[in-house]
Every structure is written in C-alpha cells, then in structure tokens.
C-alpha cells in the first residue's frame, strides 16, 4: 500500500488538506493526535518522559518548543513508538493509499523509508501567523513554534500552496491526489 506523507509547517494547512482527503475516504494518520494517544495508552510512558526530562508532563509543550536538548530526548523516547504505531495502523487499512500527516517527519531519520511520496503544504508566513494567533497563540509563541520547524521542500514530490479559500484548496488537493494525471495516480499505476 502506498504511503503519502503530508507535511508542512505549523499553520500551513496540512490538517485542512488531510480533512479533505479523509472526506474522500482516504485513511489519514494524524501523528499529533496519535502521539497524544500513545502517552495515555503506553504504560509508564509519561513517567519515563518526566524522569528523562526532569519536568512534569504537563509542562512538556512549553519546553519542547524552546529547548532543543529536551526535544531530542523526548523524540528518542516517543518516535520509535510512533513509527511502530503507524506501521500497525497502515497495515490494517484497506485503501489505495494512506496518508501520514506530520510537520517534522522529513527531518527525523527514524522515519526514513516510510514514504512513497511526499506532499508539502505551504502558506506565506503572514497567513500562517494569522492562523496561529487565531488559534489563541501569542505572536511570540506562534513565531517561536514556526521557527522550531524546518521543512525541507526539496524533499517534496508535490506542493500545495494554501493562502486562499477552502474551495481553492479543495481543487488543488484534487489535482495532486485524484486527477487522472495526478502524482499519486501515476504512482499507483507503477
């Protein structure tokens, strides 16, 4: 089964792209929500994280966006679990392809080899900033989170620019994923 990574910086609209794909019956693995579920379902995981990082689990979000050493420690604990969870989830799906949604996956070697294709969602910095502030972040927090992510667009097989309306985004998603000559359809025919 083909695995397509949908990536993009925070506020770019990758979740909107994935929602459109999900409405069309494509299984989408939301790495953020699945990771949060792992915190609750893997026995002792929260306690291990607290011991390794030396902070209460409830303080995690503030630390990982401002402290690269803490973020690396957390990733070393959690990412092997996320990869195994994704692979088990993918193997249980029945679809022409599945989507793995993640902002940071391309820069993390543990996830190398998972993707048959990479689709990057982009938006201007101003649009991303407005979206994040609209979600309740301060401008400072939004800029810090945006700066903490480095998306290498050269690794993308296709780009979807998302500065416009949901209708425009839907058309772009259709062209990339479902059109007769879309990148994904060409992969499926191989």
């Amino acid at each position: 089964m083909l695995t397509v990574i949908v990536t993009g910086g925070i506020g770019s609209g990758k979740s909107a792209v994935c929602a459109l794909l999900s409405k069309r019956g494509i299984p989408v693995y939301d790495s953020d929500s699945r990771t949060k579920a792992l915190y609750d379902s893997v026995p002792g995981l929260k306690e291990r994280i607290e011991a390794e990082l030396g902070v209460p689990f409830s303080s995690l979000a503030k630390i990982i966006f401002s402290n690269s050493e803490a973020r690396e420690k957390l990733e070393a604990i959690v990412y092997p679990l996320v990869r195994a969870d994704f692979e088990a989830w993918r193997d249980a799906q029945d679809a022409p392809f599945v989507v793995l949604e993640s902002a940071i996956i391309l820069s993390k070697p543990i996830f190398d080899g998972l993707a048959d294709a990479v689709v990057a969602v982009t938006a201007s910095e101003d649009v991303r900033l407005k979206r994040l502030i609209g979600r309740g972040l301060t401008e400072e927090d939004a800029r810090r989170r945006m700066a903490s992510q480095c998306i290498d667009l050269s690794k993308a097989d296709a780009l979807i620019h998302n500065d416009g309306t949901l209708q425009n985004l839907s058309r772009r998603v259709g062209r990339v994923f479902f059109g007769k000559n879309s990148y994904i359809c060409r992969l499926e025919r191989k």
Side-chain angles (χ1 to χ4, degrees):
M1 175 174 316
L2 294 175
T3 297
V4 180
I5 290 175
V6 172
T7 192
I10 189 169
S12 64
K14 64 188 169 301
S15 295
V17 167
C18 288
L20 290 166
L21 291 169
S22 186
K23 283 182 183 177
R24 292 181 89 159
I26 302 302
V28 175
Y29 182 96
D30 177 347
S31 61
D32 288 344
S33 65
R34 295 290 293 218
T35 300
K36 289 175 185 168
L38 290 173
Y39 291 142
D40 292 326
S41 66
V42 175
L45 181 58
K46 286 182 182 178
E47 293 79 10
R48 180 176 173 208
I49 290 169
E50 288 176 336
E52 289 283 331
L53 273 61
V55 296
F57 188 81
S58 60
S59 302
L60 214 52
K62 289 180 184 178
I63 291 166
I64 62 170
F65 286 108
S66 61
N67 182 324
S68 61
E69 184 180 329
R71 186 171 50 249
E72 288 172 11
K73 284 181 181 179
L74 177 67
E75 291 171 357
I77 296 167
V78 176
Y79 286 174
L81 299 170
V82 173
R83 181 170 178 140
D85 184 63
F86 169 74
E87 289 172 338
W89 173 87
R90 177 194 60 204
D91 293 346
Q93 303 305 312
D94 181 23
F97 64 93
V98 297
V99 169
L100 177 115
E101 176 188 357
S102 174
I104 50 81
I105 195 167
L106 298 179
S107 63
K108 306 302 176 186
I110 191 166
F111 296 107
D112 287 354
L114 279 180
D116 295 295
V118 176
V119 176
V121 184
T122 65
S124 69
E125 185 175 322
D126 288 344
V127 167
R128 292 172 60 205
L129 188 60
K130 284 179 187 175
R131 289 175 181 161
L132 295 175
I133 291 170
R135 293 182 198 166
L137 292 176
T138 65
E139 182 174 343
E140 180 184 341
D141 283 342
R143 288 189 185 280
R144 186 172 43 250
R145 289 185 184 202
M146 287 168 55
S148 75
Q149 297 176 335
C150 181
I151 309 298
D152 183 357
L153 296 180
S154 71
K155 294 181 178 180
D157 298 298
L159 295 175
I160 297 176
H161 191 68
N162 181 28
D163 271 357
T165 65
L166 189 57
Q167 186 177 12
N168 287 340
L169 180 62
S170 182
R171 279 195 298 272
R172 290 175 180 147
V173 167
R175 281 195 301 267
V176 168
F177 287 93
F178 302 107
K180 262 198 298 194
N181 293 314
S182 73
Y183 183 77
I184 304 306
C185 287
R186 288 193 310 264
L187 275 176
E188 289 175 328
R189 288 191 291 261
K190 284 184 179 180

